[in-house]
Amino acid sequence: MNHLTNGLATRATIDSLRLELAAEGADSTPIPCFRCGVCCEKWQPLLAPEELRQVAAALGLTLRAFNRRYTRPYPLRRGWRQFKATAAGCTFLDATSRQAGCTIHPHRPQVCRDWHAGLGKRECLSGLRRVVGPDLLPIALLYDDADDRAGFVAAIAGMMPSE
Ligand code: SF4
Ligand code: SF4
């Protein structure tokens, strides 16, 4: 029997998961994103000039207006700019509900499209720690979607030792 029962993982399971990750280095096991928003809190994407133009146009703004409102210069790459940060993180992060969202999701930068949730990502583990209660990790609270729940359980079950 492994540590997973009825969609609930014990605190020990998550602790052993973290220990295992630490011992083995970054594990790249993908998991469904549970939209904790930590990655968008910590990072603001960097955009090349062409992508800046594309996002500005998608939002119906001139490049000048878009940059003034939403981006700041990035000194290490000529012409590249970075989304501004607010106290909550990326300027386009909506963290007002239980599951974080991106207010420009259909037009989000490529670097955001290329980012995927995984058990080797500190951001995702940080998000997991937020929802770990004193005893249980309520997987039902992580995902509304049953397939996502099953995907998460399968990902961590594959890392757990059998008893
Ligand atoms: S653009 Fe959207 S997906 Fe990318 S960091 Fe900002 S909030 Fe997150
Ligand atoms: S930190 Fe991971 S789980 Fe949380 S929103 Fe980002 S990719 Fe998704």
Side-chain angles (χ1 to χ4, degrees), residues 39-89:
C39 53
C40 306
E41 292 169 14
K42 288 187 180 294
W43 306 107
Q44 294 80 52
L46 198 57
L47 287 81
E50 181 55 31
E51 196 170 24
L52 287 164
R53 279 190 285 276
Q54 288 170 358
V55 179
L59 298 184
L61 295 171
T62 65
L63 182 60
R64 185 182 173 87
F66 174 74
N67 280 338
R68 192 169 53 234
R69 189 163 171 191
Y70 294 119
T71 75
R72 63 188 178 200
Y74 183 72
L76 302 181
R77 286 195 193 176
R78 187 179 171 84
W80 289 56
R81 297 177 71 89
Q82 191 169 25
F83 282 173
K84 286 180 180 174
T86 68

mmCIF file of all heavy atoms in Angstrom, residues 39-89:
data_model
loop_
_atom_site.group_PDB
_atom_site.id
_atom_site.type_symbol
_atom_site.label_atom_id
_atom_site.label_comp_id
_atom_site.label_asym_id
_atom_site.label_seq_id
_atom_site.Cartn_x
_atom_site.Cartn_y
_atom_site.Cartn_z
ATOM 1 N N CYS A 39 4.505 31.027 -9.128
ATOM 2 C CA CYS A 39 5.463 31.357 -10.204
ATOM 3 C C CYS A 39 5.253 32.787 -10.703
ATOM 4 O O CYS A 39 6.220 33.509 -10.970
ATOM 5 C CB CYS A 39 5.367 30.342 -11.336
ATOM 6 S SG CYS A 39 3.708 30.102 -11.986
ATOM 7 N N CYS A 40 3.998 33.207 -10.801
ATOM 8 C CA CYS A 40 3.707 34.562 -11.294
ATOM 9 C C CYS A 40 3.917 35.618 -10.214
ATOM 10 O O CYS A 40 4.037 36.802 -10.516
ATOM 11 C CB CYS A 40 2.279 34.629 -11.826
ATOM 12 S SG CYS A 40 1.909 33.382 -13.065
ATOM 13 N N GLU A 41 3.958 35.175 -8.956
ATOM 14 C CA GLU A 41 4.310 36.106 -7.883
ATOM 15 C C GLU A 41 5.804 36.379 -7.898
ATOM 16 O O GLU A 41 6.256 37.496 -7.653
ATOM 17 C CB GLU A 41 3.955 35.512 -6.511
ATOM 18 C CG GLU A 41 2.476 35.367 -6.255
ATOM 19 C CD GLU A 41 2.210 34.543 -5.009
ATOM 20 O OE1 GLU A 41 3.158 34.312 -4.210
ATOM 21 O OE2 GLU A 41 1.073 34.102 -4.820
ATOM 22 N N LYS A 42 6.573 35.333 -8.182
ATOM 23 C CA LYS A 42 8.024 35.460 -8.059
ATOM 24 C C LYS A 42 8.684 36.035 -9.305
ATOM 25 O O LYS A 42 9.750 36.635 -9.225
ATOM 26 C CB LYS A 42 8.643 34.087 -7.768
ATOM 27 C CG LYS A 42 8.382 33.576 -6.374
ATOM 28 C CD LYS A 42 9.185 32.306 -6.130
ATOM 29 C CE LYS A 42 8.967 31.742 -4.742
ATOM 30 N NZ LYS A 42 9.469 32.602 -3.684
ATOM 31 N N TRP A 43 8.095 35.803 -10.460
ATOM 32 C CA TRP A 43 8.767 36.156 -11.709
ATOM 33 C C TRP A 43 7.913 37.078 -12.562
ATOM 34 O O TRP A 43 6.691 36.962 -12.581
ATOM 35 C CB TRP A 43 9.069 34.890 -12.526
ATOM 36 C CG TRP A 43 9.825 33.863 -11.769
ATOM 37 C CD1 TRP A 43 9.354 32.679 -11.281
ATOM 38 C CD2 TRP A 43 11.196 33.933 -11.380
ATOM 39 N NE1 TRP A 43 10.335 32.006 -10.610
ATOM 40 C CE2 TRP A 43 11.482 32.737 -10.656
ATOM 41 C CE3 TRP A 43 12.217 34.858 -11.568
ATOM 42 C CZ2 TRP A 43 12.736 32.471 -10.122
ATOM 43 C CZ3 TRP A 43 13.466 34.589 -11.039
ATOM 44 C CH2 TRP A 43 13.724 33.408 -10.329
ATOM 45 N N GLN A 44 8.582 37.929 -13.284
ATOM 46 C CA GLN A 44 7.905 38.732 -14.293
ATOM 47 C C GLN A 44 8.599 38.430 -15.613
ATOM 48 O O GLN A 44 9.835 38.509 -15.708
ATOM 49 C CB GLN A 44 7.989 40.232 -13.990
ATOM 50 C CG GLN A 44 7.248 40.643 -12.730
ATOM 51 C CD GLN A 44 8.043 40.361 -11.474
ATOM 52 O OE1 GLN A 44 9.193 40.756 -11.372
ATOM 53 N NE2 GLN A 44 7.435 39.656 -10.531
ATOM 54 N N PRO A 45 7.843 38.086 -16.624
ATOM 55 C CA PRO A 45 8.471 37.649 -17.877
ATOM 56 C C PRO A 45 9.186 38.776 -18.603
ATOM 57 O O PRO A 45 8.837 39.947 -18.492
ATOM 58 C CB PRO A 45 7.285 37.140 -18.692
ATOM 59 C CG PRO A 45 6.091 37.776 -18.100
ATOM 60 C CD PRO A 45 6.385 37.982 -16.653
ATOM 61 N N LEU A 46 10.177 38.335 -19.334
ATOM 62 C CA LEU A 46 10.991 39.213 -20.168
ATOM 63 C C LEU A 46 10.517 39.038 -21.607
ATOM 64 O O LEU A 46 10.328 37.916 -22.065
ATOM 65 C CB LEU A 46 12.438 38.731 -20.035
ATOM 66 C CG LEU A 46 13.583 39.633 -20.428
ATOM 67 C CD1 LEU A 46 13.527 40.931 -19.658
ATOM 68 C CD2 LEU A 46 14.894 38.896 -20.131
ATOM 69 N N LEU A 47 10.326 40.159 -22.292
ATOM 70 C CA LEU A 47 9.790 40.065 -23.655
ATOM 71 C C LEU A 47 10.740 40.725 -24.645
ATOM 72 O O LEU A 47 11.247 41.827 -24.409
ATOM 73 C CB LEU A 47 8.418 40.739 -23.758
ATOM 74 C CG LEU A 47 7.240 40.021 -23.109
ATOM 75 C CD1 LEU A 47 7.198 40.287 -21.610
ATOM 76 C CD2 LEU A 47 5.935 40.437 -23.747
ATOM 77 N N ALA A 48 10.915 40.052 -25.771
ATOM 78 C CA ALA A 48 11.694 40.619 -26.875
ATOM 79 C C ALA A 48 10.857 41.704 -27.555
ATOM 80 O O ALA A 48 9.622 41.731 -27.405
ATOM 81 C CB ALA A 48 12.035 39.513 -27.868
ATOM 82 N N PRO A 49 11.493 42.592 -28.313
ATOM 83 C CA PRO A 49 10.758 43.696 -28.938
ATOM 84 C C PRO A 49 9.549 43.232 -29.749
ATOM 85 O O PRO A 49 8.471 43.829 -29.655
ATOM 86 C CB PRO A 49 11.823 44.358 -29.828
ATOM 87 C CG PRO A 49 13.106 44.068 -29.127
ATOM 88 C CD PRO A 49 12.945 42.709 -28.520
ATOM 89 N N GLU A 50 9.711 42.185 -30.548
ATOM 90 C CA GLU A 50 8.591 41.730 -31.373
ATOM 91 C C GLU A 50 7.422 41.239 -30.517
ATOM 92 O O GLU A 50 6.251 41.494 -30.827
ATOM 93 C CB GLU A 50 9.071 40.619 -32.327
ATOM 94 C CG GLU A 50 7.996 40.082 -33.250
ATOM 95 C CD GLU A 50 7.316 41.186 -34.061
ATOM 96 O OE1 GLU A 50 7.963 42.207 -34.378
ATOM 97 O OE2 GLU A 50 6.106 41.028 -34.368
ATOM 98 N N GLU A 51 7.755 40.562 -29.445
ATOM 99 C CA GLU A 51 6.682 40.055 -28.586
ATOM 100 C C GLU A 51 5.986 41.195 -27.849
ATOM 101 O O GLU A 51 4.770 41.150 -27.623
ATOM 102 C CB GLU A 51 7.241 39.022 -27.601
ATOM 103 C CG GLU A 51 6.148 38.190 -26.969
ATOM 104 C CD GLU A 51 6.651 37.013 -26.169
ATOM 105 O OE1 GLU A 51 7.820 37.057 -25.701
ATOM 106 O OE2 GLU A 51 5.905 36.057 -26.003
ATOM 107 N N LEU A 52 6.728 42.216 -27.491
ATOM 108 C CA LEU A 52 6.108 43.401 -26.882
ATOM 109 C C LEU A 52 5.067 43.989 -27.820
ATOM 110 O O LEU A 52 3.953 44.336 -27.415
ATOM 111 C CB LEU A 52 7.176 44.449 -26.560
ATOM 112 C CG LEU A 52 8.094 44.128 -25.380
ATOM 113 C CD1 LEU A 52 9.328 45.017 -25.404
ATOM 114 C CD2 LEU A 52 7.344 44.298 -24.058
ATOM 115 N N ARG A 53 5.423 44.077 -29.094
ATOM 116 C CA ARG A 53 4.485 44.617 -30.089
ATOM 117 C C ARG A 53 3.245 43.729 -30.205
ATOM 118 O O ARG A 53 2.120 44.220 -30.294
ATOM 119 C CB ARG A 53 5.177 44.759 -31.461
ATOM 120 C CG ARG A 53 6.031 46.016 -31.585
ATOM 121 C CD ARG A 53 6.497 46.232 -33.017
ATOM 122 N NE ARG A 53 7.568 45.297 -33.373
ATOM 123 C CZ ARG A 53 8.851 45.502 -33.098
ATOM 124 N NH1 ARG A 53 9.242 46.611 -32.488
ATOM 125 N NH2 ARG A 53 9.763 44.620 -33.425
ATOM 126 N N GLN A 54 3.472 42.423 -30.187
ATOM 127 C CA GLN A 54 2.348 41.492 -30.340
ATOM 128 C C GLN A 54 1.370 41.595 -29.162
ATOM 129 O O GLN A 54 0.148 41.637 -29.354
ATOM 130 C CB GLN A 54 2.867 40.056 -30.441
ATOM 131 C CG GLN A 54 3.553 39.748 -31.751
ATOM 132 C CD GLN A 54 4.269 38.398 -31.725
ATOM 133 O OE1 GLN A 54 4.287 37.702 -30.715
ATOM 134 N NE2 GLN A 54 4.889 38.049 -32.840
ATOM 135 N N VAL A 55 1.905 41.639 -27.952
ATOM 136 C CA VAL A 55 1.016 41.694 -26.790
ATOM 137 C C VAL A 55 0.299 43.042 -26.745
ATOM 138 O O VAL A 55 -0.904 43.112 -26.470
ATOM 139 C CB VAL A 55 1.789 41.425 -25.479
ATOM 140 C CG1 VAL A 55 0.849 41.510 -24.281
ATOM 141 C CG2 VAL A 55 2.458 40.055 -25.512
ATOM 142 N N ALA A 56 1.016 44.110 -27.048
ATOM 143 C CA ALA A 56 0.386 45.437 -27.068
ATOM 144 C C ALA A 56 -0.774 45.450 -28.063
ATOM 145 O O ALA A 56 -1.879 45.911 -27.744
ATOM 146 C CB ALA A 56 1.417 46.503 -27.426
ATOM 147 N N ALA A 57 -0.539 44.918 -29.253
ATOM 148 C CA ALA A 57 -1.593 44.904 -30.279
ATOM 149 C C ALA A 57 -2.774 44.049 -29.825
ATOM 150 O O ALA A 57 -3.935 44.415 -30.035
ATOM 151 C CB ALA A 57 -1.018 44.375 -31.598
ATOM 152 N N ALA A 58 -2.471 42.923 -29.205
ATOM 153 C CA ALA A 58 -3.556 42.045 -28.742
ATOM 154 C C ALA A 58 -4.426 42.737 -27.699
ATOM 155 O O ALA A 58 -5.625 42.461 -27.596
ATOM 156 C CB ALA A 58 -2.966 40.762 -28.169
ATOM 157 N N LEU A 59 -3.835 43.635 -26.944
ATOM 158 C CA LEU A 59 -4.591 44.347 -25.913
ATOM 159 C C LEU A 59 -5.172 45.651 -26.448
ATOM 160 O O LEU A 59 -5.787 46.425 -25.695
ATOM 161 C CB LEU A 59 -3.693 44.629 -24.701
ATOM 162 C CG LEU A 59 -3.134 43.393 -23.975
ATOM 163 C CD1 LEU A 59 -2.352 43.804 -22.734
ATOM 164 C CD2 LEU A 59 -4.238 42.415 -23.607
ATOM 165 N N GLY A 60 -4.958 45.920 -27.731
ATOM 166 C CA GLY A 60 -5.527 47.117 -28.345
ATOM 167 C C GLY A 60 -4.846 48.400 -27.923
ATOM 168 O O GLY A 60 -5.465 49.469 -27.922
ATOM 169 N N LEU A 61 -3.569 48.285 -27.562
ATOM 170 C CA LEU A 61 -2.822 49.456 -27.110
ATOM 171 C C LEU A 61 -1.678 49.755 -28.071
ATOM 172 O O LEU A 61 -1.161 48.846 -28.730
ATOM 173 C CB LEU A 61 -2.224 49.203 -25.718
ATOM 174 C CG LEU A 61 -3.225 49.008 -24.565
ATOM 175 C CD1 LEU A 61 -2.489 48.551 -23.316
ATOM 176 C CD2 LEU A 61 -3.994 50.303 -24.301
ATOM 177 N N THR A 62 -1.299 51.019 -28.135
ATOM 178 C CA THR A 62 -0.068 51.324 -28.854
ATOM 179 C C THR A 62 1.088 50.772 -28.035
ATOM 180 O O THR A 62 0.970 50.579 -26.806
ATOM 181 C CB THR A 62 0.119 52.844 -29.015
ATOM 182 O OG1 THR A 62 0.284 53.412 -27.699
ATOM 183 C CG2 THR A 62 -1.064 53.484 -29.721
ATOM 184 N N LEU A 63 2.199 50.542 -28.702
ATOM 185 C CA LEU A 63 3.364 50.023 -27.986
ATOM 186 C C LEU A 63 3.780 50.991 -26.879
ATOM 187 O O LEU A 63 4.111 50.585 -25.768
ATOM 188 C CB LEU A 63 4.518 49.801 -28.978
ATOM 189 C CG LEU A 63 5.794 49.221 -28.375
ATOM 190 C CD1 LEU A 63 5.535 47.857 -27.747
ATOM 191 C CD2 LEU A 63 6.890 49.134 -29.444
ATOM 192 N N ARG A 64 3.722 52.261 -27.197
ATOM 193 C CA ARG A 64 4.123 53.272 -26.221
ATOM 194 C C ARG A 64 3.224 53.231 -24.968
ATOM 195 O O ARG A 64 3.714 53.239 -23.840
ATOM 196 C CB ARG A 64 4.047 54.646 -26.887
ATOM 197 C CG ARG A 64 4.537 55.798 -26.050
ATOM 198 C CD ARG A 64 4.334 57.094 -26.843
ATOM 199 N NE ARG A 64 4.634 58.260 -26.053
ATOM 200 C CZ ARG A 64 5.839 58.780 -25.939
ATOM 201 N NH1 ARG A 64 6.861 58.243 -26.574
ATOM 202 N NH2 ARG A 64 6.039 59.854 -25.188
ATOM 203 N N ALA A 65 1.926 53.171 -25.203
ATOM 204 C CA ALA A 65 0.989 53.140 -24.068
ATOM 205 C C ALA A 65 1.150 51.851 -23.267
ATOM 206 O O ALA A 65 1.120 51.849 -22.034
ATOM 207 C CB ALA A 65 -0.437 53.279 -24.576
ATOM 208 N N PHE A 66 1.316 50.751 -24.000
ATOM 209 C CA PHE A 66 1.484 49.455 -23.341
ATOM 210 C C PHE A 66 2.736 49.461 -22.454
ATOM 211 O O PHE A 66 2.692 49.061 -21.278
ATOM 212 C CB PHE A 66 1.585 48.359 -24.402
ATOM 213 C CG PHE A 66 1.904 46.999 -23.860
ATOM 214 C CD1 PHE A 66 0.949 46.263 -23.178
ATOM 215 C CD2 PHE A 66 3.166 46.448 -24.029
ATOM 216 C CE1 PHE A 66 1.241 45.008 -22.666
ATOM 217 C CE2 PHE A 66 3.468 45.192 -23.535
ATOM 218 C CZ PHE A 66 2.503 44.470 -22.852
ATOM 219 N N ASN A 67 3.827 49.939 -23.020
ATOM 220 C CA ASN A 67 5.076 49.936 -22.252
ATOM 221 C C ASN A 67 4.999 50.858 -21.041
ATOM 222 O O ASN A 67 5.500 50.530 -19.962
ATOM 223 C CB ASN A 67 6.246 50.341 -23.139
ATOM 224 C CG ASN A 67 6.727 49.179 -24.001
ATOM 225 O OD1 ASN A 67 6.477 48.020 -23.651
ATOM 226 N ND2 ASN A 67 7.392 49.474 -25.097
ATOM 227 N N ARG A 68 4.374 52.008 -21.236
ATOM 228 C CA ARG A 68 4.293 52.946 -20.121
ATOM 229 C C ARG A 68 3.485 52.343 -18.973
ATOM 230 O O ARG A 68 3.817 52.498 -17.806
ATOM 231 C CB ARG A 68 3.656 54.248 -20.605
ATOM 232 C CG ARG A 68 3.796 55.393 -19.586
ATOM 233 C CD ARG A 68 3.399 56.733 -20.175
ATOM 234 N NE ARG A 68 2.091 56.691 -20.779
ATOM 235 C CZ ARG A 68 1.827 57.055 -22.042
ATOM 236 N NH1 ARG A 68 2.805 57.489 -22.826
ATOM 237 N NH2 ARG A 68 0.606 57.004 -22.521
ATOM 238 N N ARG A 69 2.443 51.636 -19.338
ATOM 239 C CA ARG A 69 1.543 51.118 -18.306
ATOM 240 C C ARG A 69 2.002 49.801 -17.688
ATOM 241 O O ARG A 69 1.844 49.580 -16.487
ATOM 242 C CB ARG A 69 0.163 50.930 -18.936
ATOM 243 C CG ARG A 69 -0.925 50.616 -17.962
ATOM 244 C CD ARG A 69 -2.280 50.857 -18.597
ATOM 245 N NE ARG A 69 -3.340 50.368 -17.753
ATOM 246 C CZ ARG A 69 -4.602 50.249 -18.143
ATOM 247 N NH1 ARG A 69 -4.936 50.593 -19.363
ATOM 248 N NH2 ARG A 69 -5.509 49.792 -17.321
ATOM 249 N N TYR A 70 2.566 48.934 -18.525
ATOM 250 C CA TYR A 70 2.752 47.560 -18.047
ATOM 251 C C TYR A 70 4.191 47.047 -18.005
ATOM 252 O O TYR A 70 4.425 45.961 -17.471
ATOM 253 C CB TYR A 70 1.951 46.598 -18.931
ATOM 254 C CG TYR A 70 0.460 46.774 -18.834
ATOM 255 C CD1 TYR A 70 -0.284 47.114 -19.948
ATOM 256 C CD2 TYR A 70 -0.209 46.598 -17.618
ATOM 257 C CE1 TYR A 70 -1.659 47.265 -19.876
ATOM 258 C CE2 TYR A 70 -1.582 46.754 -17.537
ATOM 259 C CZ TYR A 70 -2.302 47.088 -18.665
ATOM 260 O OH TYR A 70 -3.653 47.246 -18.580
ATOM 261 N N THR A 71 5.127 47.748 -18.599
ATOM 262 C CA THR A 71 6.479 47.171 -18.647
ATOM 263 C C THR A 71 7.518 48.164 -18.133
ATOM 264 O O THR A 71 7.253 49.342 -17.981
ATOM 265 C CB THR A 71 6.868 46.739 -20.080
ATOM 266 O OG1 THR A 71 7.186 47.893 -20.871
ATOM 267 C CG2 THR A 71 5.763 45.950 -20.758
ATOM 268 N N ARG A 72 8.679 47.625 -17.903
ATOM 269 C CA ARG A 72 9.817 48.448 -17.491
ATOM 270 C C ARG A 72 11.033 47.985 -18.299
ATOM 271 O O ARG A 72 11.079 46.829 -18.765
ATOM 272 C CB ARG A 72 10.067 48.285 -15.995
ATOM 273 C CG ARG A 72 10.433 46.879 -15.595
ATOM 274 C CD ARG A 72 10.472 46.705 -14.088
ATOM 275 N NE ARG A 72 10.783 45.314 -13.737
ATOM 276 C CZ ARG A 72 10.521 44.769 -12.568
ATOM 277 N NH1 ARG A 72 9.945 45.471 -11.620
ATOM 278 N NH2 ARG A 72 10.834 43.519 -12.322
ATOM 279 N N PRO A 73 11.999 48.854 -18.460
ATOM 280 C CA PRO A 73 13.171 48.460 -19.257
ATOM 281 C C PRO A 73 13.933 47.322 -18.597
ATOM 282 O O PRO A 73 13.926 47.178 -17.373
ATOM 283 C CB PRO A 73 14.035 49.734 -19.271
ATOM 284 C CG PRO A 73 13.145 50.829 -18.816
ATOM 285 C CD PRO A 73 12.100 50.222 -17.949
ATOM 286 N N TYR A 74 14.573 46.538 -19.441
ATOM 287 C CA TYR A 74 15.460 45.483 -18.936
ATOM 288 C C TYR A 74 16.870 45.831 -19.416
ATOM 289 O O TYR A 74 17.164 45.749 -20.619
ATOM 290 C CB TYR A 74 15.025 44.111 -19.470
ATOM 291 C CG TYR A 74 15.846 42.986 -18.928
ATOM 292 C CD1 TYR A 74 15.726 42.584 -17.603
ATOM 293 C CD2 TYR A 74 16.768 42.328 -19.736
ATOM 294 C CE1 TYR A 74 16.486 41.546 -17.101
ATOM 295 C CE2 TYR A 74 17.533 41.283 -19.233
ATOM 296 C CZ TYR A 74 17.378 40.895 -17.915
ATOM 297 O OH TYR A 74 18.143 39.878 -17.421
ATOM 298 N N PRO A 75 17.719 46.243 -18.506
ATOM 299 C CA PRO A 75 18.979 46.857 -18.929
ATOM 300 C C PRO A 75 19.972 45.910 -19.598
ATOM 301 O O PRO A 75 20.875 46.372 -20.302
ATOM 302 C CB PRO A 75 19.558 47.410 -17.615
ATOM 303 C CG PRO A 75 18.878 46.635 -16.533
ATOM 304 C CD PRO A 75 17.543 46.252 -17.048
ATOM 305 N N LEU A 76 19.812 44.619 -19.426
ATOM 306 C CA LEU A 76 20.837 43.698 -19.920
ATOM 307 C C LEU A 76 20.615 43.256 -21.359
ATOM 308 O O LEU A 76 21.478 42.619 -21.954
ATOM 309 C CB LEU A 76 20.926 42.471 -19.003
ATOM 310 C CG LEU A 76 21.244 42.778 -17.532
ATOM 311 C CD1 LEU A 76 21.344 41.504 -16.714
ATOM 312 C CD2 LEU A 76 22.551 43.582 -17.418
ATOM 313 N N ARG A 77 19.446 43.550 -21.931
ATOM 314 C CA ARG A 77 19.196 43.178 -23.332
ATOM 315 C C ARG A 77 18.542 44.353 -24.036
ATOM 316 O O ARG A 77 17.432 44.753 -23.690
ATOM 317 C CB ARG A 77 18.279 41.961 -23.423
ATOM 318 C CG ARG A 77 18.949 40.665 -23.053
ATOM 319 C CD ARG A 77 18.088 39.510 -23.537
ATOM 320 N NE ARG A 77 18.503 38.260 -22.958
ATOM 321 C CZ ARG A 77 17.873 37.100 -23.149
ATOM 322 N NH1 ARG A 77 16.796 37.062 -23.909
ATOM 323 N NH2 ARG A 77 18.303 35.996 -22.597
ATOM 324 N N ARG A 78 19.218 44.852 -25.022
ATOM 325 C CA ARG A 78 18.736 46.034 -25.728
ATOM 326 C C ARG A 78 17.356 45.777 -26.349
ATOM 327 O O ARG A 78 17.162 44.805 -27.089
ATOM 328 C CB ARG A 78 19.742 46.376 -26.833
ATOM 329 C CG ARG A 78 19.486 47.666 -27.548
ATOM 330 C CD ARG A 78 20.582 47.884 -28.592
ATOM 331 N NE ARG A 78 20.266 49.002 -29.453
ATOM 332 C CZ ARG A 78 20.519 50.251 -29.158
ATOM 333 N NH1 ARG A 78 21.112 50.551 -28.025
ATOM 334 N NH2 ARG A 78 20.196 51.218 -29.994
ATOM 335 N N GLY A 79 16.399 46.654 -26.044
ATOM 336 C CA GLY A 79 15.065 46.564 -26.617
ATOM 337 C C GLY A 79 14.112 45.634 -25.865
ATOM 338 O O GLY A 79 12.910 45.655 -26.095
ATOM 339 N N TRP A 80 14.664 44.808 -25.018
ATOM 340 C CA TRP A 80 13.812 43.891 -24.273
ATOM 341 C C TRP A 80 13.240 44.615 -23.054
ATOM 342 O O TRP A 80 13.861 45.509 -22.496
ATOM 343 C CB TRP A 80 14.602 42.671 -23.799
ATOM 344 C CG TRP A 80 14.997 41.736 -24.888
ATOM 345 C CD1 TRP A 80 15.719 42.045 -26.011
ATOM 346 C CD2 TRP A 80 14.717 40.334 -24.970
ATOM 347 N NE1 TRP A 80 15.908 40.928 -26.787
ATOM 348 C CE2 TRP A 80 15.304 39.862 -26.163
ATOM 349 C CE3 TRP A 80 14.040 39.438 -24.151
ATOM 350 C CZ2 TRP A 80 15.218 38.525 -26.556
ATOM 351 C CZ3 TRP A 80 13.968 38.099 -24.533
ATOM 352 C CH2 TRP A 80 14.546 37.659 -25.739
ATOM 353 N N ARG A 81 12.052 44.216 -22.651
ATOM 354 C CA ARG A 81 11.441 44.803 -21.476
ATOM 355 C C ARG A 81 10.794 43.710 -20.644
ATOM 356 O O ARG A 81 10.543 42.611 -21.116
ATOM 357 C CB ARG A 81 10.407 45.866 -21.879
ATOM 358 C CG ARG A 81 11.023 47.047 -22.618
ATOM 359 C CD ARG A 81 9.980 48.050 -23.058
ATOM 360 N NE ARG A 81 9.396 48.800 -21.966
ATOM 361 C CZ ARG A 81 9.883 49.940 -21.503
ATOM 362 N NH1 ARG A 81 10.988 50.472 -22.016
ATOM 363 N NH2 ARG A 81 9.272 50.573 -20.514
ATOM 364 N N GLN A 82 10.525 44.084 -19.403
ATOM 365 C CA GLN A 82 9.967 43.116 -18.451
ATOM 366 C C GLN A 82 8.626 43.637 -17.957
ATOM 367 O O GLN A 82 8.452 44.846 -17.774
ATOM 368 C CB GLN A 82 10.939 43.006 -17.268
ATOM 369 C CG GLN A 82 10.670 41.874 -16.324
ATOM 370 C CD GLN A 82 11.836 41.685 -15.362
ATOM 371 O OE1 GLN A 82 12.592 42.620 -15.081
ATOM 372 N NE2 GLN A 82 11.974 40.482 -14.853
ATOM 373 N N PHE A 83 7.693 42.728 -17.731
ATOM 374 C CA PHE A 83 6.428 43.169 -17.147
ATOM 375 C C PHE A 83 6.700 43.761 -15.767
ATOM 376 O O PHE A 83 7.537 43.275 -15.015
ATOM 377 C CB PHE A 83 5.458 42.004 -17.020
ATOM 378 C CG PHE A 83 4.771 41.619 -18.305
ATOM 379 C CD1 PHE A 83 3.982 40.479 -18.360
ATOM 380 C CD2 PHE A 83 4.899 42.388 -19.461
ATOM 381 C CE1 PHE A 83 3.336 40.117 -19.527
ATOM 382 C CE2 PHE A 83 4.258 42.038 -20.636
ATOM 383 C CZ PHE A 83 3.484 40.899 -20.676
ATOM 384 N N LYS A 84 5.947 44.786 -15.429
ATOM 385 C CA LYS A 84 6.096 45.396 -14.111
ATOM 386 C C LYS A 84 5.623 44.432 -13.027
ATOM 387 O O LYS A 84 4.790 43.560 -13.271
ATOM 388 C CB LYS A 84 5.253 46.669 -14.024
ATOM 389 C CG LYS A 84 5.821 47.842 -14.781
ATOM 390 C CD LYS A 84 4.915 49.044 -14.621
ATOM 391 C CE LYS A 84 5.470 50.242 -15.374
ATOM 392 N NZ LYS A 84 4.529 51.382 -15.351
ATOM 393 N N ALA A 85 6.158 44.658 -11.843
ATOM 394 C CA ALA A 85 5.717 43.887 -10.680
ATOM 395 C C ALA A 85 4.866 44.774 -9.789
ATOM 396 O O ALA A 85 5.141 45.960 -9.624
ATOM 397 C CB ALA A 85 6.924 43.379 -9.906
ATOM 398 N N THR A 86 3.829 44.195 -9.251
ATOM 399 C CA THR A 86 3.056 44.862 -8.212
ATOM 400 C C THR A 86 3.411 44.171 -6.896
ATOM 401 O O THR A 86 4.213 43.234 -6.877
ATOM 402 C CB THR A 86 1.545 44.715 -8.464
ATOM 403 O OG1 THR A 86 1.198 43.336 -8.274
ATOM 404 C CG2 THR A 86 1.182 45.125 -9.887
ATOM 405 N N ALA A 87 2.756 44.592 -5.837
ATOM 406 C CA ALA A 87 3.010 43.930 -4.555
ATOM 407 C C ALA A 87 2.621 42.459 -4.622
ATOM 408 O O ALA A 87 3.167 41.623 -3.899
ATOM 409 C CB ALA A 87 2.222 44.628 -3.449
ATOM 410 N N ALA A 88 1.703 42.131 -5.543
ATOM 411 C CA ALA A 88 1.230 40.748 -5.641
ATOM 412 C C ALA A 88 2.052 39.915 -6.618
ATOM 413 O O ALA A 88 1.918 38.702 -6.663
ATOM 414 C CB ALA A 88 -0.231 40.731 -6.064
ATOM 415 N N GLY A 89 2.887 40.545 -7.422
ATOM 416 C CA GLY A 89 3.668 39.798 -8.407
ATOM 417 C C GLY A 89 3.530 40.424 -9.780
ATOM 418 O O GLY A 89 3.439 41.649 -9.915
#
